[in-house]
Amino acid sequence: MSVLEIKGLHVSVEGKEILKGVDLVLKTGEVHAVMGPNGTGKSTLSAAVMGHPSYTVTQGEILLDGENVLEMEVDERARAGLFLAVQYPSEIAGITNAEFMRAAINARRDDEDKMPVMQFIRKLDEKLALLDMPEEMAERYLNEGFSGGEKKRNEILQLMMIEPTFAILDEIDSGLDIDALQVVAKGVNAMRGEGFGAMIITHYQRLLNYIVPDVVHIMMGGKIALTGGPELAQRLEKEGYKGISEELGLQIEAAEG
Amino acid sequence: MKLNKQTTVLDDLTAFSKHKNEPDWMLQLRMQALSKIEALPLPNIERVQFDRWPLLEAEQAFQAMSADDLEGVSFQIDEKSEQAAVIQFGQHTVIEKLPESYRQQGVIFTDIFTALKDYPDLVKEAYMQLAVQPDEDCLTAFHAAFMNSGVFLYVPKDVHLTEPLEAHFFQNSRIKEPFVKHVLIYADTNSSFSYVEKFETLFHEPNTANCIIEVVAKPGAEVKFSAVDQLGENTTAYFNRRGHLMHHAHVDWALGVMNNGNVIADFDADLVEEGAHSEIKAIAISMGRQIQAIDTRVTNIGRHSIGHILQHGVVREQATLTFNGIGHILKGASGADAQQESRVLMLSDKARGDVNPILLIDEHDVTAGHAASAGRVDPEEMYYLMSRGISKEEAERLVIRGFLGSVIKAVPLKGVREELIETIERKLIE
Ligand SMILES: Nc1ncnc2c1ncn2[C@@H]1O[C@H](COP(=O)(O)OP(=O)(O)O)[C@@H](O)[C@H]1O
Ligand SMILES: [Mg+2]
């Protein structure tokens, strides 16, 4: 079993403190949902875990099986087992999707243990089929000219190809129609198991009908305000962030979206 | 410009020409050019200072070839392949191979001095007559005077060759010797073929290179021209590749500018008659402290002529890369089309990339456009690639390969595409 521990995490962006003490423990075999109003710091949390250079950790710790993640470079974090499906993936001309994924897979392997091409292609075809993606997507340039929905699927494709220990999926549902949402959920559910843990960041409860979380966290004002089971997400759907925050006696700082 | 020469230069030149049994017109052309060098200016290449570069080093241009030159070097070609090939090392032609079927169709692919002896009229018709003129500037004059090796390729009327002809030029920098290479390609009416050339330097003596490559394309001729330039870091080079395109001739260029030393290059297509069409695609990498400056020019003279330029380059470390893209549409070239895209990617804070699109249009009824950019690698792209476990160096390589790949993708010959990719990989590991 692996553990990702986030302890008392404070993060600033451009000198402004966004996260004000986040505590969260994610284990393999678990799926956690992190919900919260817009602007509360959910993406900031994901970026800080992955090591985006614009986000500065001012206090607290992130540990992966006891190892200090904050001391690792972005690529080291990824090779240690972390994966982040981002809200707005970059478009990179000239590099095919397949080439990129092979480089990512082989970056984790020793020189004498690179994944054979045939094995890679077989795996790729299988995952493409599962995600209902046409084969030519693999030969297109990385995210270039992809629609919003195609980009999201492509993030999940990478997740399935790379098979990390922990995945953070940041608003993987935004802008998806119901069919695409189901496909993306199918991909994530296929990953579920003993050796995999996920943190699903979402604004809406809808996605959680398809990927049922083990734990739900509600984040407000740069902190985890409330933690519970899947029923918490349903409650949120009925009462809204406002209702919950009033009950908790919290002030919502950012505007509700 | 001052010529660095021995006092016996005129005697040496005459002796060399006699030794090679050159026709008299060739000796005249050399002597006239020699007399003009010092009065002529350097070519104008925007935004680069190269007036102090050692480009007029004439010393030892005509030293006698020695068998010692070839000691310790060997060259091979695939005996089984049916490819036409010429390999030259310094002034020596070490391998010449022309399939019998090509010979029977009248194809000539040989050392320039052999061609001057055996086909003087054919050479005379095109050698520095149509594409490049000896008295354009001091570098073309230097070339005309001191040319000391080269090849001639002639493909007769209506002859279509499927396999590319290949020339491999090794500069001999074991010794001090200017590398003054002339390639003359004469594509007769309605012929079609592909040609590939490669330039490399062996050994490390500082030397000058002055390479002029002329492509004369007669009406309806179709030429696919590819080059991979990899001259050494101690070679200061001038390249001039120029096409002279007649009625509905079509010349496609794929040029890999991968030298290791300082280079100025002029890649031009003169679309002199109606419907002439040239696509120039170039990729370049500058690294270390080197400076490479490339003028790519298309001149539309004929009506409905088409000239397109696509060039992408990468600059590393403290190197400089300049792309000047010049589209010139002359009066009378109605219906002409001139387009260009030049982009430079800088990989370090000290890398200098410069793109300079120039459109000169003297006719109304035409289409012309340009896109240009010089920028750094997007940190978001790097972050994205690295967030998948790819190291910084590998991510950078991917971005570069991608950036240059969009030009390589458009290169028609598969073998050349692979060669370019391999060369890039090799350079990026350095
Ligand atoms: N790169 C950035 N530059 C400046 N401000 C940022 C940046 N990223 C996030 N922020 C700010 O941090 C706050 C939290 O944003 P974010 O983490 O994206 O929230 P969420 O994902 O919960 O909607 C917002 O006020 C946002 O404007
Ligand atoms: Mg967000």
Side-chain angles (χ1 to χ4, degrees), chain B residues 361-427:
Chain B
I361 300 178
D362 304 323
E363 181 57 65
H364 297 290
D365 166 32
V366 299
T367 48
H370 63 78
S373 63
R376 295 185 196 287
V377 180
D378 180 355
E380 281 298 323
E381 287 184 13
M382 288 295 290
Y383 167 72
Y384 186 65
L385 294 170
M386 287 172 69
S387 80
R388 296 300 182 248
I390 298 170
S391 69
K392 185 159 183 279
E393 298 72 38
E394 175 72 11
E396 223 172 61
R397 268 205 290 279
L398 280 172
V399 170
I400 296 169
R401 213 194 301 161
F403 177 73
L404 299 177
S406 53
V407 179
I408 296 174
K409 189 178 69 168
V411 169
L413 290 176
K414 182 160 180 273
V416 174
R417 286 200 298 272
E418 287 168 357
E419 173 96 25
L420 288 171
I421 290 167
E422 258 172 49
T423 310
I424 294 167
E425 299 291 311
R426 200 164 351 104
K427 270 193 95 73

Coordinates of all heavy atoms in Angstrom, one line a residue, chain B residues 361-427:
Chain B
I361 N 7.0 44.1 -53.1 CA 6.0 43.8 -54.1 C 5.8 44.9 -55.1 O 5.5 46.0 -54.7 CB 4.7 43.4 -53.4 CG1 5.0 42.2 -52.5 CG2 3.6 43.1 -54.4 CD1 3.8 41.7 -51.7
D362 N 6.1 44.7 -56.4 CA 6.0 45.7 -57.4 C 4.9 45.4 -58.4 O 5.0 45.9 -59.5 CB 7.4 45.8 -58.1 CG 8.5 46.1 -57.2 OD1 8.3 46.8 -56.2 OD2 9.6 45.5 -57.4
E363 N 4.0 44.5 -58.0 CA 2.9 44.2 -58.9 C 1.6 44.1 -58.1 O 1.6 43.8 -57.0 CB 3.2 42.9 -59.6 CG 2.2 42.4 -60.7 CD 1.9 43.4 -61.8 OE1 2.9 43.7 -62.6 OE2 0.8 44.0 -61.8
H364 N 0.5 44.5 -58.8 CA -0.8 44.6 -58.0 C -1.5 43.2 -57.8 O -1.8 42.8 -56.7 CB -1.8 45.6 -58.7 CG -1.2 46.9 -58.7 ND1 -1.1 47.7 -57.5 CD2 -0.7 47.7 -59.7 CE1 -0.5 48.9 -57.9 NE2 -0.3 48.9 -59.2
D365 N -1.6 42.6 -58.9 CA -2.5 41.4 -59.0 C -1.8 40.2 -58.4 O -1.5 39.2 -59.2 CB -3.0 41.3 -60.4 CG -3.6 39.9 -60.7 OD1 -4.2 39.4 -59.8 OD2 -3.5 39.5 -61.9
V366 N -1.4 40.1 -57.2 CA -0.6 39.0 -56.6 C -1.0 38.7 -55.2 O -1.8 39.4 -54.6 CB 0.9 39.4 -56.5 CG1 1.5 39.8 -57.9 CG2 1.1 40.6 -55.6
T367 N -0.6 37.5 -54.7 CA -0.8 37.2 -53.3 C 0.5 37.0 -52.6 O 1.4 36.4 -53.2 CB -1.7 35.9 -53.2 OG1 -1.1 34.9 -54.0 CG2 -3.1 36.1 -53.6
A368 N 0.6 37.5 -51.4 CA 1.8 37.4 -50.7 C 1.5 37.4 -49.2 O 0.5 38.1 -48.8 CB 2.7 38.6 -51.0
G369 N 2.3 36.8 -48.4 CA 2.1 36.8 -47.0 C 3.2 36.3 -46.2 O 4.1 35.7 -46.8
H370 N 3.3 36.6 -44.9 CA 4.4 36.1 -44.1 C 3.9 35.9 -42.7 O 3.0 36.5 -42.2 CB 5.6 37.0 -44.2 CG 5.3 38.4 -43.6 ND1 5.3 38.6 -42.2 CD2 5.1 39.6 -44.2 CE1 5.1 39.9 -42.0 NE2 4.9 40.5 -43.2
A371 N 4.6 34.9 -42.0 CA 4.4 34.7 -40.6 C 5.8 34.6 -40.0 O 6.7 33.9 -40.7 CB 3.6 33.4 -40.4
A372 N 6.1 35.2 -38.9 CA 7.4 35.1 -38.3 C 7.3 35.1 -36.8 O 6.5 35.8 -36.3 CB 8.3 36.3 -38.9
S373 N 8.2 34.4 -36.2 CA 8.3 34.5 -34.7 C 9.7 34.1 -34.2 O 10.3 33.2 -34.8 CB 7.2 33.7 -34.1 OG 7.4 32.3 -34.4
A374 N 10.1 34.7 -33.1 CA 11.3 34.2 -32.5 C 10.9 34.2 -31.0 O 10.5 35.3 -30.4 CB 12.4 35.2 -32.7
G375 N 11.0 33.1 -30.3 CA 10.5 33.0 -29.0 C 11.2 31.9 -28.2 O 12.0 31.2 -28.8
R376 N 10.9 31.8 -26.9 CA 11.5 30.8 -26.1 C 10.5 29.7 -25.9 O 9.3 29.8 -26.2 CB 11.8 31.4 -24.7 CG 12.9 32.4 -24.9 CD 13.5 33.0 -23.6 NE 14.2 34.2 -24.0 CZ 15.4 34.2 -24.6 NH1 16.0 33.1 -24.9 NH2 15.9 35.4 -24.9
V377 N 11.0 28.6 -25.4 CA 10.2 27.4 -25.1 C 9.2 27.8 -24.0 O 9.5 28.4 -23.0 CB 11.0 26.2 -24.6 CG1 10.1 25.0 -24.3 CG2 12.0 25.9 -25.6
D378 N 7.9 27.5 -24.2 CA 6.9 27.9 -23.3 C 7.0 27.0 -22.0 O 7.0 25.8 -22.1 CB 5.5 27.5 -24.0 CG 4.3 27.8 -23.1 OD1 4.6 28.2 -21.9 OD2 3.2 27.7 -23.6
P379 N 7.2 27.7 -20.9 CA 7.4 27.0 -19.6 C 6.2 26.1 -19.3 O 6.4 25.0 -18.7 CB 7.6 28.1 -18.5 CG 7.5 29.4 -19.2 CD 7.3 29.2 -20.7
E380 N 5.0 26.4 -19.7 CA 3.9 25.6 -19.5 C 4.0 24.3 -20.2 O 3.7 23.2 -19.7 CB 2.6 26.3 -19.9 CG 2.0 27.3 -18.9 CD 1.7 26.7 -17.5 OE1 1.2 25.5 -17.4 OE2 1.9 27.4 -16.5
E381 N 4.6 24.3 -21.4 CA 4.8 23.1 -22.2 C 5.8 22.2 -21.5 O 5.6 21.0 -21.4 CB 5.3 23.4 -23.6 CG 4.2 24.0 -24.5 CD 4.7 24.2 -26.0 OE1 5.8 23.7 -26.3 OE2 4.0 24.9 -26.7
M382 N 6.9 22.8 -21.0 CA 7.9 22.0 -20.3 C 7.3 21.4 -19.1 O 7.5 20.2 -18.8 CB 9.1 22.9 -19.9 CG 9.9 23.4 -21.1 SD 10.8 22.0 -21.9 CE 11.9 21.6 -20.6
Y383 N 6.5 22.2 -18.3 CA 5.9 21.6 -17.1 C 5.0 20.5 -17.5 O 5.0 19.4 -16.8 CB 5.1 22.7 -16.4 CG 4.2 22.3 -15.3 CD1 4.7 21.8 -14.1 CD2 2.8 22.3 -15.5 CE1 3.8 21.3 -13.1 CE2 1.9 21.8 -14.5 CZ 2.4 21.3 -13.3 OH 1.6 20.9 -12.4
Y384 N 4.2 20.6 -18.5 CA 3.3 19.6 -18.9 C 4.0 18.3 -19.2 O 3.7 17.2 -18.8 CB 2.4 20.0 -20.1 CG 1.3 19.1 -20.5 CD1 0.3 18.8 -19.6 CD2 1.3 18.5 -21.7 CE1 -0.8 17.9 -20.0 CE2 0.3 17.6 -22.1 CZ -0.7 17.3 -21.2 OH -1.7 16.5 -21.6
L385 N 5.1 18.4 -20.0 CA 5.8 17.2 -20.4 C 6.5 16.6 -19.2 O 6.5 15.4 -19.0 CB 6.9 17.6 -21.5 CG 6.3 18.0 -22.8 CD1 7.5 18.6 -23.7 CD2 5.7 16.9 -23.5
M386 N 7.1 17.4 -18.4 CA 7.8 16.9 -17.2 C 6.8 16.3 -16.2 O 7.2 15.3 -15.5 CB 8.6 18.0 -16.5 CG 9.8 18.4 -17.3 SD 10.7 19.8 -16.7 CE 11.3 19.2 -15.1
S387 N 5.6 16.8 -16.1 CA 4.6 16.2 -15.2 C 4.2 14.8 -15.6 O 3.5 14.2 -14.9 CB 3.4 17.1 -15.1 OG 2.5 16.9 -16.2
R388 N 4.7 14.4 -16.7 CA 4.5 13.0 -17.1 C 5.7 12.1 -16.9 O 5.8 11.0 -17.4 CB 4.0 12.9 -18.6 CG 2.7 13.6 -18.9 CD 1.5 13.0 -18.1 NE 0.3 13.6 -18.4 CZ -0.4 14.4 -17.6 NH1 0.0 14.6 -16.3 NH2 -1.5 15.0 -17.9
G389 N 6.7 12.7 -16.2 CA 7.9 11.9 -15.8 C 9.0 12.1 -16.8 O 10.1 11.5 -16.6
I390 N 8.8 12.9 -17.8 CA 9.9 13.1 -18.8 C 10.9 14.1 -18.2 O 10.5 15.2 -17.8 CB 9.3 13.6 -20.1 CG1 8.3 12.5 -20.7 CG2 10.4 13.9 -21.1 CD1 7.5 12.9 -21.8
S391 N 12.2 13.8 -18.3 CA 13.2 14.7 -17.7 C 13.3 16.0 -18.5 O 12.8 16.1 -19.6 CB 14.6 14.0 -17.8 OG 15.0 13.9 -19.1
K392 N 13.9 17.0 -17.9 CA 13.9 18.3 -18.5 C 14.6 18.2 -19.9 O 14.2 18.8 -20.9 CB 14.7 19.2 -17.6 CG 14.8 20.7 -18.1 CD 15.1 21.6 -16.9 CE 15.1 23.1 -17.3 NZ 16.3 23.5 -18.0
E393 N 15.8 17.5 -19.9 CA 16.5 17.4 -21.2 C 15.7 16.7 -22.3 O 15.7 17.1 -23.4 CB 17.8 16.6 -21.0 CG 18.8 17.2 -20.0 CD 18.4 17.1 -18.5 OE1 17.8 16.1 -18.1 OE2 18.6 18.1 -17.8
E394 N 15.1 15.6 -21.9 CA 14.2 14.9 -22.8 C 13.1 15.7 -23.3 O 12.7 15.7 -24.5 CB 13.8 13.5 -22.2 CG 12.9 12.7 -23.0 CD 13.5 12.0 -24.2 OE1 14.8 12.1 -24.3 OE2 12.8 11.5 -25.1
A395 N 12.5 16.4 -22.4 CA 11.3 17.3 -22.7 C 11.7 18.3 -23.7 O 11.1 18.6 -24.7 CB 10.8 18.0 -21.5
E396 N 12.9 18.9 -23.5 CA 13.5 19.9 -24.4 C 13.7 19.3 -25.8 O 13.4 19.9 -26.8 CB 14.8 20.4 -23.8 CG 14.9 21.9 -24.0 CD 16.1 22.4 -23.2 OE1 17.2 22.1 -23.6 OE2 15.9 23.2 -22.3
R397 N 14.2 18.1 -25.8 CA 14.5 17.4 -27.1 C 13.2 17.2 -27.8 O 13.1 17.4 -29.0 CB 15.1 16.1 -26.8 CG 16.6 16.1 -26.9 CD 17.2 14.8 -27.2 NE 17.0 13.8 -26.2 CZ 17.8 13.7 -25.1 NH1 18.8 14.5 -25.0 NH2 17.6 12.7 -24.2
L398 N 12.1 16.8 -27.1 CA 10.8 16.6 -27.7 C 10.3 17.8 -28.3 O 9.8 17.9 -29.4 CB 9.8 16.0 -26.7 CG 9.9 14.5 -26.4 CD1 9.0 14.2 -25.2 CD2 9.5 13.7 -27.6
V399 N 10.4 18.9 -27.5 CA 9.9 20.2 -28.0 C 10.6 20.6 -29.3 O 10.0 21.1 -30.3 CB 10.0 21.3 -27.0 CG1 9.7 22.7 -27.5 CG2 9.0 21.0 -25.8
I400 N 11.9 20.5 -29.3 CA 12.7 20.8 -30.4 C 12.4 20.0 -31.6 O 12.2 20.4 -32.8 CB 14.3 20.7 -30.2 CG1 14.7 21.6 -29.1 CG2 15.1 20.9 -31.4 CD1 16.1 21.3 -28.5
R401 N 12.3 18.7 -31.4 CA 12.0 17.7 -32.5 C 10.7 18.1 -33.1 O 10.5 18.1 -34.3 CB 12.1 16.3 -31.9 CG 12.5 15.3 -33.0 CD 12.2 13.9 -32.6 NE 12.8 13.5 -31.3 CZ 12.4 12.5 -30.6 NH1 11.4 11.8 -31.0 NH2 13.0 12.2 -29.5
G402 N 9.8 18.4 -32.2 CA 8.4 18.8 -32.6 C 8.4 20.0 -33.5 O 7.8 20.1 -34.5
F403 N 9.2 21.0 -33.0 CA 9.3 22.3 -33.7 C 9.9 22.2 -35.0 O 9.4 22.7 -36.0 CB 10.1 23.2 -32.8 CG 10.3 24.6 -33.3 CD1 9.2 25.5 -33.4 CD2 11.5 25.0 -33.8 CE1 9.4 26.8 -33.9 CE2 11.7 26.2 -34.3 CZ 10.7 27.1 -34.4
L404 N 11.0 21.4 -35.1 CA 11.6 21.2 -36.4 C 10.8 20.2 -37.3 O 10.8 20.2 -38.5 CB 13.0 20.8 -36.3 CG 14.0 21.7 -35.5 CD1 15.3 21.1 -35.3 CD2 14.0 23.1 -36.2
G405 N 10.1 19.3 -36.5 CA 9.4 18.2 -37.2 C 8.3 18.7 -38.1 O 8.0 18.1 -39.2
S406 N 7.7 19.9 -37.8 CA 6.7 20.4 -38.7 C 7.2 20.8 -40.0 O 6.5 20.8 -41.0 CB 5.9 21.5 -38.0 OG 6.8 22.5 -37.6
V407 N 8.5 21.1 -40.1 CA 9.1 21.3 -41.4 C 9.5 20.0 -42.1 O 9.2 19.7 -43.2 CB 10.3 22.2 -41.3 CG1 10.9 22.5 -42.7 CG2 9.9 23.6 -40.7
I408 N 10.1 19.1 -41.3 CA 10.6 17.8 -41.8 C 9.4 17.0 -42.4 O 9.6 16.4 -43.4 CB 11.3 17.0 -40.7 CG1 12.5 17.8 -40.2 CG2 11.6 15.6 -41.1 CD1 13.2 17.2 -39.0
K409 N 8.3 17.1 -41.7 CA 7.1 16.4 -42.2 C 6.8 16.7 -43.6 O 6.3 15.9 -44.4 CB 6.0 16.8 -41.3 CG 4.7 16.0 -41.5 CD 3.6 16.6 -40.5 CE 3.2 18.0 -40.9 NZ 2.0 18.4 -40.1
A410 N 7.1 17.9 -44.0 CA 6.8 18.4 -45.4 C 7.9 18.1 -46.4 O 7.7 18.4 -47.6 CB 6.5 19.9 -45.3
V411 N 8.9 17.4 -46.0 CA 10.0 17.1 -46.9 C 9.6 15.8 -47.7 O 9.2 14.8 -47.1 CB 11.3 16.8 -46.1 CG1 12.4 16.2 -47.0 CG2 11.8 18.1 -45.5
P412 N 9.7 15.9 -49.0 CA 9.1 14.8 -49.8 C 9.8 13.4 -49.7 O 9.2 12.4 -49.7 CB 9.1 15.3 -51.2 CG 10.0 16.5 -51.2 CD 10.1 17.0 -49.9
L413 N 11.2 13.4 -49.6 CA 11.9 12.1 -49.6 C 12.0 11.5 -48.2 O 12.5 12.2 -47.2 CB 13.3 12.3 -50.1 CG 13.4 12.5 -51.6 CD1 14.9 12.7 -52.0 CD2 12.8 11.4 -52.4
K414 N 11.5 10.3 -48.0 CA 11.5 9.6 -46.7 C 12.9 9.5 -46.2 O 13.2 9.8 -45.0 CB 10.9 8.2 -46.9 CG 10.8 7.5 -45.6 CD 9.7 6.3 -45.7 CE 9.6 5.5 -44.4 NZ 10.6 4.4 -44.3
G415 N 13.9 9.1 -47.0 CA 15.3 8.9 -46.6 C 15.8 10.2 -46.0 O 16.6 10.2 -45.1
V416 N 15.5 11.3 -46.7 CA 16.0 12.6 -46.2 C 15.3 13.0 -44.9 O 16.0 13.5 -44.0 CB 15.7 13.7 -47.3 CG1 16.1 15.1 -46.7 CG2 16.5 13.4 -48.5
R417 N 14.1 12.7 -44.8 CA 13.4 13.0 -43.5 C 14.1 12.2 -42.4 O 14.4 12.8 -41.3 CB 11.9 12.5 -43.5 CG 11.0 13.4 -44.4 CD 9.6 13.2 -44.0 NE 9.1 11.8 -44.2 CZ 8.6 11.4 -45.4 NH1 8.5 12.2 -46.4 NH2 8.2 10.2 -45.5
E418 N 14.4 11.0 -42.6 CA 15.1 10.2 -41.6 C 16.5 10.7 -41.3 O 16.9 10.8 -40.1 CB 15.1 8.7 -42.0 CG 13.8 8.1 -41.9 CD 13.7 6.7 -42.6 OE1 14.7 6.3 -43.2 OE2 12.6 6.1 -42.5
E419 N 17.2 11.1 -42.3 CA 18.5 11.6 -42.2 C 18.5 12.9 -41.3 O 19.3 13.1 -40.4 CB 19.1 11.9 -43.6 CG 20.4 12.6 -43.6 CD 21.6 11.7 -43.7 OE1 21.4 10.6 -44.3 OE2 22.7 12.1 -43.2
L420 N 17.5 13.8 -41.6 CA 17.4 15.0 -40.9 C 17.1 14.7 -39.4 O 17.7 15.3 -38.5 CB 16.3 15.9 -41.5 CG 16.7 16.6 -42.8 CD1 15.5 17.2 -43.4 CD2 17.8 17.6 -42.6
I421 N 16.2 13.8 -39.2 CA 15.8 13.5 -37.8 C 17.0 12.9 -37.0 O 17.3 13.3 -35.9 CB 14.6 12.5 -37.7 CG1 13.4 13.2 -38.2 CG2 14.4 11.9 -36.3 CD1 12.2 12.3 -38.5
E422 N 17.8 12.0 -37.7 CA 19.0 11.4 -37.1 C 20.0 12.5 -36.7 O 20.6 12.5 -35.7 CB 19.6 10.5 -38.0 CG 19.4 9.0 -37.7 CD 19.9 8.2 -38.9 OE1 21.1 8.4 -39.3 OE2 19.2 7.3 -39.4
T423 N 20.2 13.4 -37.7 CA 21.1 14.5 -37.5 C 20.7 15.4 -36.3 O 21.6 15.7 -35.5 CB 21.3 15.4 -38.7 OG1 21.4 14.5 -39.9 CG2 22.4 16.3 -38.7
I424 N 19.5 15.7 -36.2 CA 19.0 16.5 -35.1 C 19.3 15.8 -33.8 O 19.8 16.3 -32.8 CB 17.5 16.8 -35.2 CG1 17.2 17.7 -36.5 CG2 17.0 17.5 -34.0 CD1 15.8 17.8 -36.8
E425 N 18.9 14.5 -33.7 CA 19.1 13.7 -32.5 C 20.5 13.8 -32.1 O 20.9 14.0 -30.9 CB 18.7 12.3 -32.7 CG 17.2 12.1 -33.1 CD 16.3 12.4 -31.9 OE1 16.5 11.9 -30.8 OE2 15.3 13.1 -32.2
R426 N 21.4 13.6 -33.1 CA 22.8 13.5 -32.8 C 23.3 14.9 -32.2 O 24.0 15.0 -31.2 CB 23.6 13.1 -34.0 CG 25.0 12.6 -33.8 CD 25.6 11.9 -34.9 NE 24.8 11.6 -36.1 CZ 24.8 12.3 -37.2 NH1 25.7 13.3 -37.3 NH2 24.1 11.9 -38.2
K427 N 22.9 15.9 -32.9 CA 23.3 17.3 -32.4 C 22.7 17.6 -31.0 O 23.4 18.3 -30.3 CB 22.8 18.3 -33.4 CG 23.8 18.6 -34.5 CD 23.4 19.8 -35.3 CE 24.1 21.1 -34.9 NZ 25.5 21.1 -35.2

